[in-house]
Amino acid sequence: MDKHRRIVITGIGVISSLGNDLASFSRHYLQGKLPEIQERTVVFLETAYLQKIMALPSWEDKSVPSAHRRRMSLLSRMIAVTAMQCLENANLEKEKWAQLGLVIGTGWGEQETVHKVIPQVILEESEMVPFPTLFHNSVHNASAGYLGMILQSQGPAITVSQEEHSFEAALENGMLLMDRGHSRAVLAGGADEFFDFAVLEERKSPFPADTISSGSCFFMLETEEDARERKARIYARCSFLPPGKLDESTIEEYSEEVKSSLAGGKSPDLALFTGPIDDRTEMLARSFLARIFPTPVPEIFYGSYPSRPTQGAERFLESLVMLESQSVPLQLKKDAGIDHPSGILLVCLTGSRQCRLFYLQQGEQ
Amino acid sequence: MVRVVITGAGTICSIANRYDEVGPSMKKCVHGIGPVTLFPANTGHPVAEVKHLEAPDKKRFRTSLLAEKAMEDALSKTGALGNRTGVSFSTCTMGMLEMEQSFIALKNGHGSDLSFAKSLSAGSIANEISCRYGFSGPVASFSTACSSSANALACAFFWIRQGMCDAVVAGGSDSLCRLTYYGFQSLKVMSDTPCTPFDVNRKGMNIGEGAAVLLLESLESAKRRGSPVLAEVMGVGLSADAYHMSAPHPNGEGAYLAMKKALEEGSMSPEQVDYISAHGTGTRQNDVAESIAIGRLFANHCERMYVNSIKSYIGHTLGAAGAMAVVFALNSMEQGFIPPTIGLQEPDPECRVLHPPSSGTEARVETILINAFAFGGNNTTILLRKFHG
């Protein structure tokens, strides 16, 4: 693989059920606080469904100009607000916004808007066209369009929608844009909005069991050189390792590829596995790790299915919080036996065992 | 630097059921634009439908079926691919057509067994392809409206250049549905006749459907496998207008930047480009803005470089449009023929570009720029060059 540029995280923005800014998210995460859950009744056509969702805290969106705000969906506003939080947190000079790359990962995209448009186009008795604003807001990249206008950014603006790897693929794309010289700085993130169709997903029961959520996390990516030059705060260095697939026939070749890309660098203090992980996947994952690192690396499996496709963005943020604060939640300390991680390997898996790997290392060293 | 080449191409659209049929249809200057038959339509706006596409299984989405046909076509002559093969795909409409039918059934008090989650997932087709063909490389899907498949190609190009994959299956697929049919009408950009981009009397666009798939490969991998090379991908350009959600920047700012960046990445000068396959939707705003951007970047070279729009053949295939334009461009390159923009009789004086004559033209086609623009001011350009070893 070509040599990557050294990429660092210099800004964070978050709206989630654990907090609507970095400080409250970090505090709640390290305290081991569980997100609040509420029940909400959704009426889909004429059937009522009860859905458990993670409560989203109230949040201000004054950073978004009102001319845009009144047209935007909740998803677009969440994305705009977290992106602005992120820019503020990164303290990136405004003149650099014009060439920023934007990479947004979203699994569900604008489905809530689609839900509003469809009833307008299925009336057969008359000529019916939807409201034009609703229509152009129904595309997955509506948020990227609004964000580009707000920031007046003419850099690449990409929207990735790859189910439970939407955020991970977006982050990878952001880093590729920098590696390939298309952007010097990239705002990359993941966001999803709870939408009413979700209650019908693979179940026709009026009382679905899964808890789902809304939220958005954004990260400012810069080259280490640029960040140091402008004396930016560095949360972590981030490298992406070769993506691949964890199965019996490829694990040997794949682990060798990952091992060689690490080129004998320092082993991580902790490996976090995210995504839907069954017993077979867990066994393969352990074997994969053992093949790469000569000494055992403490590992944690976040085995549950994500409560939204871009839940991985929060796992990424949690890792940054641990590296920045040099502490871990009590439960994780008990499970993994570590308390001051300086390097975390995020192993992000999908149901078909597609694997994306991000290696985060403490920034200010 | 890893060189990236195209070693397979497949398509299905309103004028061709496979790649080999594109060239002859292009030479005959036939379009596939006609009345809507997929669903009852209350307006007379024609579309470019794929005919005789029967789903073997009613649960199979049309978009996914189109993708499968194009995939089979693209891989029909390529031989076995290795483990390090990725999938970079795109779709905007996903299973929208089937979901609309389900909604109508539910509204009328009937049941529906549609998987809503699957029908709404922009990433499901890419996952299906990866699993069906047993690829182990990365999977990503792009949903940037009408530039989606061009962005999927850009990602494939990056993956190979960066050494992450030896080969990538890249493209896009979209089916017609009520949402886009009536949605574009709400923007008042649909033509009630077959579209005539760049014509002063044009009335707007026609939407279409189809799928296009390209196999991108590192040159080293293509040589190792003995694959015939169709073209080399020299560069991609990505930009945003930062201007309006559904209208292009009037001076084509973003379009200009995307084309410029693609040339820069390919280390080529504007004078080396022989032909631009324009985004060319047939709306005044697009055609004029794109022409201004071309004029600004190519200056006097505009007098020698042809510009056309394949949307006059197959309508606007939305999420598949960028990859579809690449498929047509490969045919042009192969045959040394640049097709006309069908129906273009009186060029718009505001679009000062060189249009091919009405029967097309034999020409030297070494280098082609392909434009794909989208809602949100998203612009992507792909730069192709004939492969010379």
Side-chain angles (χ1 to χ4, degrees), chain B residues 31 41 48 68 73 101 114 130 143 168 176 195 221-222 231 236 250 261-262 270 310 324 328 362 364 377 385:
Chain B
H31 68 67
E68 184 183 307
D73 187 25
Q101 282 153 357
L114 184 83
S130 176
S143 199
V168 181
L176 287 166
C195 65
S221 165
V236 299
K261 285 179 184 177
I310 64 153
M324 198 68 85
F328 276 66
E362 306 287 328
R364 172 184 179 275
R385 190 173 68 176

Side-chain angles (χ1 to χ4, degrees), chain B residues 324-337:
Chain B
M324 198 68 85
V326 171
V327 161
F328 276 66
L330 292 173
N331 269 280
S332 278
M333 211 173 250
E334 249 174 55
Q335 301 184 15
F337 175 77

